[in-house]
Amino acid sequence: MGSGGGAAAAAVAVPRKEKQRSAAGHWPQVEDDGVAPASSTKRHARRAWCCGGVNFVLAAFVMVVPPMVILLDARASSPAVWISSVNVLRRGDGSILRWPAVDARDKLLGSLLADGSEEGSCHSRYLVSISYRGLGNRILAAASAFLYALLTDRVLLVDPSNEMDELFCEPFPGTTWLLPPGFPLTNYTSFGVSTAESYGNMLKNKVITTGDDGDIPPARLPPFAYVHLDHTATVEDKFFFCDEDQRVIRNIPWLVMRTDNYIVPGLFLVTGFQQELDSLFPETDAVFHHLGRYLFHPTNHVWGLVTRYYDAYLATAQQRVGIQVRVFGRQPESPELLEQITACTQKANLLPEVIAAGEPLVAPASARRKSTAVLVTSLKSWYYERMKSMYWEHAAAGAGEAVSVHQPSHEEFQQFGAGSHDAKAWAEMYLLSLTDALVTSGWSTFGYVAQGLAGVRPWVMQKPWNRLADQPCWRDVSMEPCFHAPPFYDCRLKRGADTGKIVPHVRHCQDVQWGLKLVRTSW
């Protein structure tokens, strides 16, 4: 996002120097570098991306004025600026919830408004994403919320708990995507499946209704709705992925969203989003790759962890293999899982077999040997130690390939909300994304993030009790994360359905058979 004194923008694929129109009906000139000039304040600016050979396109109107990122309603006909009443919420009974008072003399609300803005000229909408559970879940949830905000012209404000600001650089220069202090809904982090204001419960209790008889007047809608889309979501909660429900939700000013899932495949089921999603992501198996590369950049501390480790242990190798080990069940040190890892890497020709002690090498010692660095990430050190010992105590078969095995940390147990623990986890996800080939554990959001950032299809190990004896792992059909708790409902037919068969690029995951993931339909 650009940062010049007011508005900046995310990107869409348009020819450079093409003139474009804003909410006010005017188009700024896009310069050769693809960034709108500073004079384009309060207008749409658009920029083309090219990442990994893919033209990545995002479309949004972002108001970049400290301390928030504001996505304004592009359908508005008036100039796109803040309104003076932005710091209030109205309860259902008409009473007012207010942000902390601002000095009456400060008409810019502490630089919240752009200089020169007019009072009362435009209404804007907020989407608050609750941060909870493990780091992989939080990253996938934030990426999902960001895409939904783009599709619906909303602000993205991320719950600042779990030290999100200590892990990620601000993705929007000159502003913050963190929810500022004083948010009127003080108990929003406790919202759950039983919250009366959840969209699903309001549907169930007929507080709001949907239908084909046109949009519900805004006056009849609540001032905010809680969107509950985590693993406990009900059938009514998942009506969120239906078009008629989205027509209602788009008129609710504030949304608070809780999810521990990558809900993006569900957004591709919404007919009203399909045209824009097709334009944004012509390669449907690379959605998280682009969202992740755009949003998630390590802070200086985490980047130091990444670069120092990479330079010391991985940089000089001719091939780098990442192995992400997630232990499920009560046996953290599993010989069966170690055997599965060894069988997978050797069957996929990622790592060489070893010869018995005392057997001569086939290749002469003077032969040029390939060097492979193996990066193991796991809460436990046991798997790393066994693999390291195997390649130390035994020579690699064939040409005597040199294999070194490394593990940055072994925290033993997952520690939710611990800053040092999360910093190491984020550094290791990023290090995995810098390897040439990946082996991941099925079901693991940690692995999903690494493969998405890397832009590679991993070799996936199924849970030991679910895998076939002759198939230690398989090559995934897509680099995309899996949506573990999708809807099972056809919104058009209004009945239960297999949502993995509705559109060709949304199919079932191989590791979570009922889950959904995005795939590419043509190669």
Side-chain angles (χ1 to χ4, degrees), residues 372-391:
T372 298
V374 181
L375 175 70
V376 178
T377 65
S378 176
L379 290 172
K380 304 295 181 181
S381 62
W382 189 83
Y383 300 92
Y384 150 75
E385 291 168 351
R386 296 302 183 275
M387 292 187 68
K388 182 179 180 180
S389 295
M390 181 176 69
Y391 284 105

Side-chain angles (χ1 to χ4, degrees), residues 300-313:
N300 288 346
H301 169 63
V302 177
W303 187 240
L305 298 177
V306 171
T307 55
R308 287 189 295 271
Y309 201 90
Y310 184 88
D311 291 342
Y313 301 107

Side-chain angles (χ1 to χ4, degrees), residues 39-107:
S39 61
S40 63
T41 299
K42 297 181 292 183
R43 300 176 183 173
H44 275 221
R46 299 188 175 195
R47 178 174 52 180
W49 273 13
C50 184
C51 299
V54 182
N55 285 326
F56 175 48
V57 287
L58 288 176
F61 188 9
V62 181
M63 191 75 170
V64 184
V65 282
M68 297 183 187
V69 178
I70 306 303
L71 300 184
L72 295 176
D73 190 339
R75 298 168 299 171
S77 59
S78 52
V81 294
W82 273 79
I83 58 170
S84 59
S85 59
V86 72
N87 62 331
V88 303
L89 272 177
R90 188 173 297 276
R91 296 188 180 96
D93 61 3
S95 60
I96 296 293
L97 287 169
R98 291 187 177 273
W99 292 78
V102 180
D103 190 331
R105 295 169 296 177
D106 182 10
K107 293 185 177 181

Side-chain angles (χ1 to χ4, degrees), residues 7 58 73 84 118 140 186 210 302 310 329 396 482 484 498 516:
L58 288 176
D73 190 339
S84 59
E118 298 178 8
L140 297 179
T186 55
T210 62
V302 177
Y310 184 88
C482 180
H484 287 183
D498 183 349
L516 297 180

Side-chain angles (χ1 to χ4, degrees), residues 111-318:
S111 297
L112 191 60
L113 304 182
D115 191 10
S117 62
E118 298 178 8
E119 296 182 5
S121 59
C122 180
H123 294 271
S124 63
R125 301 181 296 169
Y126 297 44
L127 169 63
V128 179
S129 176
I130 299 175
S131 301
Y132 87 119
R133 298 201 68 183
L135 182 59
N137 299 84
R138 303 206 304 269
I139 289 175
L140 297 179
S144 300
F146 176 70
L147 180 56
Y148 180 70
L150 291 179
L151 294 171
T152 57
D153 299 321
R154 287 186 181 271
V155 182
L156 172 64
L157 295 170
V158 177
D159 171 28
S161 62
N162 292 314
E163 300 184 316
M164 294 288 281
D165 56 335
E166 299 295 325
L167 300 173
F168 306 103
C169 296
E170 293 285 0
F172 314 117
T175 187
T176 180
W177 64 340
L178 299 177
L179 182 67
F183 185 52
L185 301 175
T186 55
N187 62 335
Y188 70 95
T189 57
S190 66
F191 288 174
V193 67
S194 61
T195 298
E197 293 85 0
S198 76
Y199 182 73
N201 285 329
M202 288 194 289
L203 276 181
K204 187 186 301 184
N205 298 326
K206 302 189 184 305
V207 175
I208 53 178
T209 58
T210 62
D212 298 325
D213 54 348
D215 291 339
I216 298 175
R220 290 171 50 196
L221 291 173
F224 82 94
Y226 164 59
V227 179
H228 183 79
L229 293 175
D230 80 351
H231 62 286
T232 63
T234 66
V235 172
E236 290 82 6
D237 290 322
K238 294 178 184 180
F239 286 156
F240 174 87
F241 299 104
C242 292
D243 281 275
E244 64 180 29
D245 294 84
Q246 280 300 318
R247 285 195 292 270
V248 174
I249 292 170
R250 72 181 296 109
N251 290 322
I252 298 176
W254 291 70
L255 295 182
V256 178
M257 177 184 290
R258 178 189 294 276
T259 183
D260 54 359
N261 270 275
Y262 180 66
I263 67 169
V264 170
L267 300 179
F268 276 76
L269 299 176
V270 181
T271 306
F273 295 156
Q274 286 179 1
Q275 182 175 355
E276 182 145 3
L277 287 170
D278 289 344
S279 298
L280 297 178
F281 305 103
E283 296 179 352
T284 49
D285 64 339
V287 176
F288 180 74
H289 177 65
H290 294 306
L291 292 176
R293 287 295 185 186
Y294 181 71
L295 289 173
F296 305 113
H297 303 277
T299 56
N300 288 346
H301 169 63
V302 177
W303 187 240
L305 298 177
V306 171
T307 55
R308 287 189 295 271
Y309 201 90
Y310 184 88
D311 291 342
Y313 301 107
L314 306 177
T316 60
Q318 292 170 289

Side-chain angles (χ1 to χ4, degrees), residues 459-479:
W459 293 88
V460 182
M461 298 183 296
Q462 185 58 288
K463 291 183 178 181
W465 54 85
N466 287 339
R467 75 177 179 89
L468 300 176
D470 61 345
Q471 189 184 34
C473 62
W474 69 86
R475 190 75 183 274
D476 209 339
V477 296
S478 166
M479 70 182 83

